[in-house]
Amino acid sequence: QQQVKQSPQSLIVQKGGISIINCAYENTAFDYFPWYQQFPGKGPALLIAIRPDVSEKKEGRFTISFNKSAKQFSLHIMDSQPGDSATYFCACQNNNDMRFGAGTRLTVKP
Amino acid sequence: KAGVTQTPRYLIKTRGQQVTLSCSPISGHRSVSWYQQTPGQGLQFLFEYFSETQRNKGNFPGRFSGRQFSNSRSEMNVSTLELGDSALYLCASSWSTSYNEQFFGPGTRLTVL
């Protein structure tokens, strides 16, 4: 059972553009929703996270939008830069479970 | 502060062998979680240890086991290796439980021939 669906699988964006990655979940017991960034040869690194009591969280160029009723959340990268080229994973967690999305490979073209 | 370290970084084994991977968490972190990452299945949770006790376990066969020592260092063991066990094994630490911010190590790339 795929509990976290992430899309798109890959994304190509021009420098300066907006990158948008989406995740949908099924289990309403999840209460922590992080996004991770992974560069080749490295482990994932926490980028930004949100809890379901807020609908949006912004940190620099990165924003999470959260829709609790739709059980969806998304990552927006504003002014995308070539250095943002990486694989991004969404995750859904609670005290007893943690599930990752399948990942999105983002390429930002200069 | 040193990050999460994993040893070895690369490992080649043959089917039927067993392997032990090691993870040293960030100083002060008491929770260590293990994940398997493959192109086909993505990132999958293996288990979490907190204060030397297994707190949660993912859906993996009993060939996968782990332990945590009093200094919070953790080891993961896979017995009777199968070709499908080839993966990047990631360790992550956090100060309380895995359901706070986790810091990942670089992983151990295991290849089973």
Side-chain angles (χ1 to χ4, degrees), chain A residues 38 44 46 89 94-95 98, chain B residues 35 37 99 101-102 104-105:
Chain A
Q38 186 176 26
L46 179 66
F89 295 92
N94 59 28
N95 273 341
M98 180 171 189
Chain B
Y35 299 87
Q37 186 174 30
Y99 310 107
E101 180 177 359
Q102 294 186 80
F104 282 84

Side-chain angles (χ1 to χ4, degrees), chain A residues 32 36 38 41-46 51 89 93-102, chain B residues 9 35 37 42-45 55-56 88 90 97-106:
Chain A
Y32 182 63
Y36 290 88
Q38 186 176 26
K42 305 282 187 182
L46 179 66
R51 295 197 184 272
F89 295 92
Q93 302 177 206
N94 59 28
N95 273 341
N96 299 304
D97 197 7
M98 180 171 189
R99 306 282 173 146
F100 286 90
Chain B
R9 291 293 312 278
Y35 299 87
Q37 186 174 30
L43 268 163
Q44 295 187 88
F45 172 71
R55 186 175 170 275
N56 277 311
L88 181 68
L90 291 159
T97 71
S98 62
Y99 310 107
N100 290 279
E101 180 177 359
Q102 294 186 80
F103 295 84
F104 282 84

Side-chain angles (χ1 to χ4, degrees), chain A residues 19-45:
Chain A
S19 304
I20 301 174
I21 305 170
N22 302 298
C23 272
Y25 62 97
E26 298 172 2
N27 185 352
T28 56
F30 291 133
D31 60 7
Y32 182 63
F33 302 89
W35 284 93
Y36 290 88
Q37 180 189 55
Q38 186 176 26
F39 293 104
K42 305 282 187 182

